[in-house]
Amino acid sequence: MTTFQVPQRMNFAAVAPKVFKAVLALDAAARDGIDPVLVELVQIRASQINRCAYCIDYHTSDARKAGETNERIDQLSAWEESSLYSEAERAALALTEAVTLLPGGVPDEVYGEAAAFFDEKQLAQLIALIFTVNAWNRMNVTTRKTPGTA
């Protein structure tokens, strides 16, 4: 099998270490109090939307380590048609898509559905997680960070 290596544009962590460390700190703060499996589902779904190969690779591996099944990871891009996700997970995934895409803002019904499953603190953490993974995606897509690299 022949593979194509997408050339990495820069090592962002080496070139902008203060910014990289700040995003790492934001990431750690955003995860606080959120179920580790849900963290990974949200991060994978945002990364799929943003087409971030590095983040998809990274977070699918972390999801498996957190106990997620291959079947749920495989069906994540079609979560709306799958029966494998709880109502709370579905609300979090809908919010993930709305915050990631933002074409017309986050619809009231999407926000309200998430608020029905997560208290205000948890919802704030979930929103922070979503905008943080989007920051990672934009950093890694722009610099073409290669899956499997540190």
Side-chain angles (χ1 to χ4, degrees):
M1 179 170 102
T2 303
T3 61
F4 175 76
Q5 181 67 38
V6 177
Q8 187 166 310
R9 290 178 173 152
M10 82 167 61
N11 180 339
F12 192 89
V15 176
K18 286 184 180 179
V19 175
F20 188 81
K21 288 178 185 174
V23 178
L24 277 175
L26 178 61
D27 187 89
R31 293 167 178 260
D32 187 43
I34 302 177
D35 174 69
V37 171
L38 183 59
V39 166
E40 299 309 329
L41 290 175
V42 164
Q43 293 191 339
I44 294 165
R45 185 63 193 127
S47 299
Q48 289 172 335
I49 293 166
N50 290 322
R51 300 172 56 171
C52 183
Y54 178 85
C55 293
I56 293 168
D57 181 65
Y58 187 92
H59 293 296
T60 56
S61 175
D62 279 0
R64 287 182 187 95
K65 289 175 191 170
E68 190 52 90
T69 66
N70 287 334
E71 185 178 27
R72 283 174 35 105
I73 292 169
D74 291 344
Q75 291 188 27
L76 190 55
S77 64
W79 66 269
E80 290 177 295
E81 288 75 34
S82 175
S83 61
L84 298 179
Y85 306 97
S86 71
E87 289 184 50
E89 290 168 334
R90 297 171 73 76
L93 292 168
L95 185 63
T96 300
E97 290 187 2
V99 173
T100 299
L101 294 170
L102 279 181
V106 175
D108 289 339
E109 60 273 8
V110 170
Y111 188 91
E113 185 71 14
F117 290 99
F118 302 96
D119 65 31
E120 194 170 49
K121 167 89 170 114
Q122 293 169 323
L123 188 55
Q125 292 299 127
L126 181 58
I127 292 166
L129 178 69
I130 296 165
F131 68 67
T132 302
V133 70
N134 275 280
W136 284 122
N137 291 163
R138 281 149 178 77
M139 181 189 313
N140 292 329
V141 168
T142 302
T143 62
R144 291 185 178 154
K145 186 157 179 73
T146 305
T149 62

